[in-house]
Amino acid sequence: MSPRPDRRPAPDLEFWARQAGHLHWETEWSEVLDRSDAPFVRWFTGGRLNAAYNCVDRHVEAGHGNQVAFHWEGEPGDTRAITYADLRREVCRTANALLSLGLRAGDRVAIQLPMIPEAVFAMLACARLGLPHSVVFGGFSPAALRSRIEDAGARLLITSDGQYRRGRAEPMKALTDEATAHTPGVEHVLVVRRTGTAVPWTEGRDLWWHELVDRQSMEHTPEAFDAEHPLFILYTSGTTGRPKGILHTTGGYLTQAAYTHRTVFSLDPGSDVYWCTADIGWITGHTYIVYGPLANRTTSVMYEGTPSTPHEGRHFEIIERYGVSVYYTAPTLIRTFMKWGEDIPARYDLSSIRVLGSVGEPINPEAWRWYRTHLGAGRAPVVDTWWQTETGAVMIAPLPGGPPAKPGSAQTPLPGISAKVVDDRGREVGKGESGYLVLDQPWPSMLRGVWGDDDRYRETYWSRFAEQGYYFAGDGARYDDDGDIWLLGRVDDVMNVSGHRISTAEVESALVSHPAVAEAAVVGASDPTTGQAVVAFVILRGAAAGTPADEVVSALREHVAREIGPIAKPRRILVVPELPKTRSGKIMRRLLRDVAENRETGDVSTLADASVMELINAGLAGASAPAGGR
């Protein structure tokens, strides 16, 4: 059944019109929201603007050209301070270079670059020219890059000779050549010289960035585009199956990116130094490194490398050096900091921090408290943000200065956003109850479709609650007794044990709250009696490493039973040296399910360190039988 937009309440259109008013519009919109073809909607109909002008030129024209846009720090220690005037010159030159290659509005550009300034220049140059960009994370394989290039129909690929990872210069151009060997639609490959390593070269196709871009004019007049002109395509998967290209357009996306950035972080562009530690290849990098901060004239930090290179205090050293006041990172990194020890951040002056942010997954209360204590000096608020590639911007988060925070809870939707927790039939659940998180009203930065596949868009996001017209986020959630929202992780990460819905995130949080555990990952394994059983993989803190494994496992099982209830007690707890993670820090639970169900381990090509699975399997081969029963 199709959604019936006429029966649903409208969002606060006056509110969103005010937020859009913070941007520069070449032509005012005639209608804030057109939902006549829901779930395909249009925001700011008839309005025209240029995203790059809003992020760069208007700030220079207003007299802020000397303000630093980015303090960039390379992994080897090289640095650049890029002012808004510098940024405008570089974006104009890059735009002129792309024009010289025959690209015109609507053509797609693929970008696979490390965290270097040219990545920002390339994205903004594309936005300036109306070229939808598809940024591909630098750690993705040639096959993943190829699938994204093919799906988007990109005419140009922008890449680099190599990238620095953990102190080493790793190849990039050689890998992109493997991808483009089978993508005839790519007419040119524009290569940034970063590491200076030798690269394969195809004459007539490959071009050096410094030879093409540096000779271009530093002046370019931007063109205004329709508010619904495609801004970028970002692929949410592709390690298996066909990639899913999430399409975001210009006016609504930029409106909400800027609004959420200044609101969630209580940002002051004249005094704050802001650092989002995400990679530019993810939606967090798009919205909270590039478009949101620059639209708000923010001074940001951008770091190229890994947090442990050349030492485990690198992030804290950077915070101290630049006086970072707003720090936005992922729970995975926070838990890594916990594992390294509180003595490391204690060596640095972190007193500049006034707001801490968390993104990417639900943060467990223990990590929340550690984060606030050891980075925020016990005073900085922690904003735990929930959002997705598909939503484009933060949707649910506590606000600095708002009601008291609850460690581990995203709490309430932002002003202008409407979210509910509902049951299988789309009915809102009561306080203290769990269900599915849905968004029941449109929002400006919402995805406009799956690139080239309208049916997939409808089926994936709108079919489950089609009658109500709800967007299904794919996440489980619950209301607490105050009506605040707690995220329970992806629906496929909610285990059904003897008819009880148990979130992997809840069990992981309980495990990490035990002083013996540094990090944990939980999966559901098939069980002939209970349907699913809880299996946990844990990394121990140093002080617990010498304790007999059976003793630790027994203590942890009882701890989980106390924290959640006997039904959540893991059937099996496996002590491991590391967890399998992608280069972005995401735990590959698919591989852990293979281990838990005694299957052959699947594809490990996307792991940051493929040897981790060998260590886990070797450890299990020498381990005793599972400790404890139900």
Side-chain angles (χ1 to χ4, degrees):
M1 184 178 294
S2 299
R4 293 176 292 194
D6 56 317
R7 295 192 179 185
R8 288 174 287 154
D12 187 344
L13 301 184
E14 290 185 5
F15 173 87
W16 288 117
R18 289 195 302 273
Q19 303 312 318
H22 287 266
L23 302 177
H24 173 272
W25 294 80
E26 192 71 23
T27 304
E28 188 80 5
W29 57 86
S30 57
E31 184 179 15
V32 175
L33 172 63
D34 175 3
R35 60 198 301 193
S36 60
D37 190 29
F40 297 92
V41 302
R42 299 175 61 85
W43 281 86
F44 308 114
T45 305
R48 297 181 67 83
L49 75 168
N50 185 283
Y53 179 87
N54 272 282
C55 290
V56 185
D57 302 61
R58 65 173 177 146
H59 305 317
V60 178
E61 292 171 5
H64 300 290
N66 290 330
Q67 179 180 332
V68 172
F70 287 103
H71 293 292
W72 177 78
E73 177 133 348
E75 189 182 86
D78 46 336
T79 62
R80 273 177 86 175
I82 302 165
T83 66
Y84 275 91
D86 296 333
L87 187 58
R88 184 187 181 280
R89 286 191 291 270
E90 295 295 342
V91 171
C92 286
R93 292 203 299 186
T94 306
N96 286 324
L98 300 188
L99 286 174
S100 75
L101 298 178
L103 295 167
R104 295 295 180 265
D107 291 336
R108 275 80 67 200
V109 175
I111 301 170
Q112 189 177 46
L113 286 170
M115 288 290 289
I116 57 178
E118 287 81 1
V120 178
F121 305 159
M123 291 171 70
L124 291 173
C126 288
R128 194 177 192 87
L129 299 175
L131 306 171
H133 58 67
S134 172
V135 181
V136 180
F137 173 55
F140 272 164
S141 67
L145 174 60
R146 173 187 171 183
S147 68
R148 286 155 173 76
I149 289 173
E150 289 178 334
D151 192 72
R155 291 182 59 193
L156 170 70
L157 170 64
I158 303 176
T159 189
S160 66
D161 56 352
Q163 59 182 326
Y164 288 103
R165 297 291 300 178
R166 296 181 175 83
R168 299 189 304 271
E170 302 284 354
M172 183 170 274
K173 172 62 163 60
L175 298 176
T176 61
D177 273 10
E178 186 179 332
T180 54
H182 305 285
T183 55
V186 173
E187 298 164 7
H188 291 98
V189 178
L190 186 56
V191 187
V192 178
R193 179 174 284 162
R194 172 60 185 136
T195 62
T197 52
V199 294
W201 203 256
T202 301
E203 289 297 334
R205 185 197 69 173
D206 297 350
L207 303 163
W208 282 112
W209 177 287
H210 60 275
E211 292 179 355
L212 177 67
V213 175
D214 290 1
R215 69 170 186 252
Q216 302 295 326
S217 167
M218 292 184 289
E219 296 296 328
H220 175 269
T221 302
E223 174 189 349
F225 294 97
D226 188 89
E228 288 297 325
H229 186 84
L231 180 60
F232 63 86
I233 307 162
L234 190 56
Y235 289 87
T236 60
S237 62
T239 54
T240 59
R242 191 162 55 90
K244 184 171 59 177
I246 301 304
L247 173 64
H248 283 287
T249 55
T250 306
Y253 170 80
L254 195 61
T255 293
Q256 192 168 336
Y259 155 65
T260 53
H261 178 254
R262 64 177 172 266
T263 302
V264 169
F265 302 110
S266 187
L267 191 94
D268 181 351
S271 61
D272 277 317
V273 177
Y274 162 86
W275 185 13
C276 171
T277 70
D279 190 279
I280 219 147
W282 307 116
I283 188 64
T284 307
H286 283 55
T287 305
Y288 297 112
I289 293 177
V290 181
Y291 291 108
L294 293 177
N296 289 329
R297 186 172 54 82
T298 305
T299 295
S300 295
V301 168
M302 182 177 175
Y303 173 52
E304 176 186 30
T306 51
S308 58
T309 305
H311 55 80
E312 292 171 346
R314 185 68 184 269
H315 269 225
F316 311 124
E317 179 182 74
I318 292 171
I319 291 169
E320 180 181 84
R321 177 178 302 130
Y322 297 110
V324 171
S325 55
V326 180
Y327 180 74
Y328 190 33
T329 195
T332 292
L333 185 56
I334 298 165
R335 290 191 291 266
T336 298
F337 290 156
M338 292 172 66
K339 185 168 66 172
W340 291 345
E342 62 195 52
D343 59 307
I344 296 176
R347 298 170 196 164
Y348 299 89
D349 180 3
L350 307 182
S351 61
S352 59
I353 292 177
R354 66 170 190 82
V355 176
L356 295 168
S358 172
V359 62
E361 60 180 296
I363 184 171
N364 56 292
E366 181 72 11
W368 190 102
R369 294 186 183 97
W370 191 97
Y371 192 31
R372 189 171 193 264
T373 299
H374 297 290
L375 271 71
R379 54 174 172 73
V382 177
V383 289
D384 176 12
T385 62
W386 177 86
W387 60 297
Q388 302 175 311
T389 300
E390 292 89 343
T391 71
V394 172
M395 304 294 282
I396 304 173
L399 296 179
K406 298 177 179 179
S409 172
Q411 292 188 260
T412 57
L414 297 183
I417 301 299
S418 183
K420 290 180 179 178
V421 181
V422 302
D423 63 16
D424 284 319
R425 299 174 67 178
R427 299 173 301 191
E428 188 169 16
V429 303
K431 291 180 178 180
E433 295 183 3
S434 300
Y436 303 102
L437 183 67
V438 298
L439 303 171
D440 63 324
Q441 295 179 10
W443 63 99
S445 65
M446 64 192 293
L447 76 165
R448 297 302 196 267
V450 172
W451 181 259
D453 197 338
D454 290 350
D455 290 340
R456 191 176 185 185
Y457 171 64
R458 292 188 185 94
E459 175 62 29
T460 302
Y461 302 107
W462 302 96
S463 63
R464 184 156 193 161
F465 299 105
E467 184 173 356
Q468 297 87 354
Y470 295 163
Y471 167 90
F472 177 47
D475 280 335
R478 68 176 173 88
Y479 288 130
D480 65 16
D481 291 339
D482 299 319
D484 284 341
I485 295 172
W486 294 71
L487 273 299
L488 302 177
R490 300 295 297 172
V491 169
D492 56 8
D493 286 334
V494 175
M495 301 167 289
N496 192 326
V497 181
S498 298
H500 295 263
R501 290 171 55 81
I502 299 172
S503 163
T504 57
E506 283 186 309
V507 182
E508 288 167 2
S509 179
L511 287 165
V512 176
S513 71
H514 192 283
V517 177
E519 193 165 5
V522 169
V523 297
S526 297
D527 187 285
T529 303
T530 62
Q532 282 188 299
V534 180
V535 177
F537 298 77
V538 299
I539 300 173
L540 300 181
R541 293 180 185 267
T547 308
D550 287 352
E551 186 178 324
V552 172
V553 167
S554 178
L556 293 178
R557 294 181 78 244
E558 293 306 316
H559 179 72
V560 171
R562 285 193 302 272
E563 291 290 307
I564 302 174
I567 193 66
K569 188 187 294 186
R571 181 186 68 183
R572 193 177 186 191
I573 296 178
L574 304 166
V575 177
V576 295
E578 292 291 342
L579 293 171
K581 296 178 182 177
T582 65
R583 290 181 177 88
S584 66
K586 181 179 179 181
I587 296 171
M588 292 288 285
R589 287 175 174 80
R590 168 177 58 82
L591 298 176
L592 295 179
R593 288 191 194 97
D594 291 342
V595 172
E597 298 189 340
N598 300 312
R599 291 193 300 266
E600 183 177 345
T601 302
D603 179 23
V604 298
S605 63
T606 56
L607 292 181
D609 183 1
S611 67
V612 167
M613 290 310 299
E614 296 174 9
L615 290 173
I616 291 174
N617 287 318
L620 297 184
S624 59
R630 295 214 66 84

